[in-house]
Amino acid sequence: MILRRTTEHVKTQNWFAVGIDLLIVVIGVFIGIQVSNWNDSRKDESDARLFLMRLHEDIEQANVLSARLIERRLRYPDELRMMSDILFERSAETELDAEGCRIIGSTHYYNINIGNLPAIVELISSGRMTIIKDPNLRTALVGLQQTEAGLASYINTQIASAVDIPSKYPDLFTLTPSFDPDGGEARVRSQCDTHALRANQGFMNDFSQNVDRFDAFVRDGLAPWKSQFDAVHALVDDALDIQHANEADQ
Ligand SMILES: [Zn+2]
């Protein structure tokens, strides 16, 4: 319709009217683009909020599945250090108790359930990372992916080289299964003779190497990943205005 009217204006050489017609078209196009941009931006905002809500669910689920085991693995280097001091006679204690035997016989346990957070994988693979407007959160999400890849590679290489000490030295360790009613899980009870351990140089070498491997796994793999995971959680809590009553709820 505007085309027919403009053609008539051109025929009658009414240049002022032609100018007005063109202006109407330009303004119409401009408003159309603005409305479309505004709709896109509103959709991005609502998608970002949905993503953060899903991510928070994933984080809570991961905590339920693995928090206890991760805390145990993070404590393990300190426990190993204390047991090493007893074994290598650098401590006032001279004999390992059953718990000490269990700790020394567990240096090949790397299994932890870190899993992917599906919401992040989906966001990155769909190329929509830019809907996250907070640059700190974007950086933290990328950092989490990187530390997760590093941790997975540590687990794979360390598991391949770690020595299963009780299986390799069955004469030195006696294992029995037990059920821990407080933790609701099966554990292994272990007995060993501290003097017999010290007298076996093969065991002492394998144990020393396992301690070194586990320490590197925690220091360079698990601890950086856990602190990145917690940083992402805190940023998501901030963005969604979620407050946890205490640490155990996180
Ligand atoms: Zn939270």
Side-chain angles (χ1 to χ4, degrees), residues 190-232:
S190 185
Q191 283 180 299
C192 62
D193 176 341
T194 313
H195 300 281
L197 296 182
R198 286 187 189 124
N200 189 319
Q201 194 57 50
F203 157 77
M204 294 293 268
N205 291 349
D206 280 337
F207 172 69
S208 300
Q209 287 183 322
N210 269 10
V211 169
D212 187 38
R213 284 186 195 104
F214 206 96
D215 193 63
F217 156 68
V218 169
R219 194 183 50 244
D220 300 331
L222 187 58
W225 172 82
K226 178 71 166 82
S227 82
Q228 197 67 29
F229 182 90
D230 290 343
V232 166

Side-chain angles (χ1 to χ4, degrees), residues 54-228:
R54 280 190 46 216
L55 178 58
H56 193 259
E57 279 174 25
D58 289 349
I59 287 171
E60 292 202 308
Q61 181 71 9
N63 273 339
V64 168
L65 290 176
S66 56
R68 189 173 55 175
L69 203 51
I70 288 170
E71 290 306 325
R72 195 182 291 165
R73 299 282 181 267
L74 288 172
R75 277 201 312 272
Y76 196 49
D78 283 341
E79 294 172 346
L80 270 180
R81 210 164 296 132
M82 283 193 291
M83 296 313 131
S84 297
D85 284 346
I86 296 174
L87 199 56
F88 286 87
E89 300 178 271
R90 296 185 296 246
S91 159
E93 291 282 333
T94 55
E95 300 282 324
L96 294 162
D97 60 9
E99 178 62 4
C101 294
R102 188 194 62 76
I103 289 169
I104 282 181
S106 306
T107 47
H108 58 295
Y109 286 175
Y110 287 91
N111 64 310
I112 49 164
N113 182 13
I114 55 161
N116 278 327
L117 298 174
I120 299 184
V121 176
E122 199 180 305
L123 187 76
I124 291 177
S125 61
S126 66
R128 297 195 69 207
M129 196 64 151
T130 50
I131 65 171
I132 304 299
K133 297 299 174 212
D134 177 358
N136 292 333
L137 180 54
R138 266 204 319 265
T139 307
L141 289 173
V142 172
L144 183 60
Q145 291 291 98
Q146 285 167 343
T147 52
E148 191 174 299
L151 175 57
S153 126
Y154 253 102
I155 291 174
N156 290 336
T157 53
Q158 307 294 48
I159 282 180
S161 52
V163 177
D164 174 350
I165 283 176
S167 296
K168 185 168 175 184
Y169 301 97
D171 296 341
L172 297 179
F173 289 86
T174 306
L175 306 186
T176 45
S178 69
F179 190 76
D180 170 16
D182 294 333
E185 62 179 330
R187 304 290 302 269
V188 169
R189 251 186 236 286
S190 185
Q191 283 180 299
C192 62
D193 176 341
T194 313
H195 300 281
L197 296 182
R198 286 187 189 124
N200 189 319
Q201 194 57 50
F203 157 77
M204 294 293 268
N205 291 349
D206 280 337
F207 172 69
S208 300
Q209 287 183 322
N210 269 10
V211 169
D212 187 38
R213 284 186 195 104
F214 206 96
D215 193 63
F217 156 68
V218 169
R219 194 183 50 244
D220 300 331
L222 187 58
W225 172 82
K226 178 71 166 82
S227 82
Q228 197 67 29

Side-chain angles (χ1 to χ4, degrees), residues 23-35:
L23 197 60
I24 288 169
V25 170
V26 168
I27 289 172
V29 169
F30 177 75
I31 290 174
I33 290 172
Q34 285 303 104
V35 168

Side-chain angles (χ1 to χ4, degrees), residues 10-64:
V10 170
K11 273 185 195 160
T12 57
Q13 298 194 348
N14 184 351
W15 303 121
F16 179 73
V18 169
I20 296 287
D21 290 344
L22 288 176
L23 197 60
I24 288 169
V25 170
V26 168
I27 289 172
V29 169
F30 177 75
I31 290 174
I33 290 172
Q34 285 303 104
V35 168
S36 162
N37 285 347
W38 184 66
N39 281 342
D40 285 351
S41 139
R42 272 181 48 128
K43 182 165 182 339
D44 282 356
E45 259 176 48
S46 116
D47 285 354
R49 187 166 175 84
L50 277 177
F51 161 74
L52 290 175
M53 286 163 71
R54 280 190 46 216
L55 178 58
H56 193 259
E57 279 174 25
D58 289 349
I59 287 171
E60 292 202 308
Q61 181 71 9
N63 273 339
V64 168

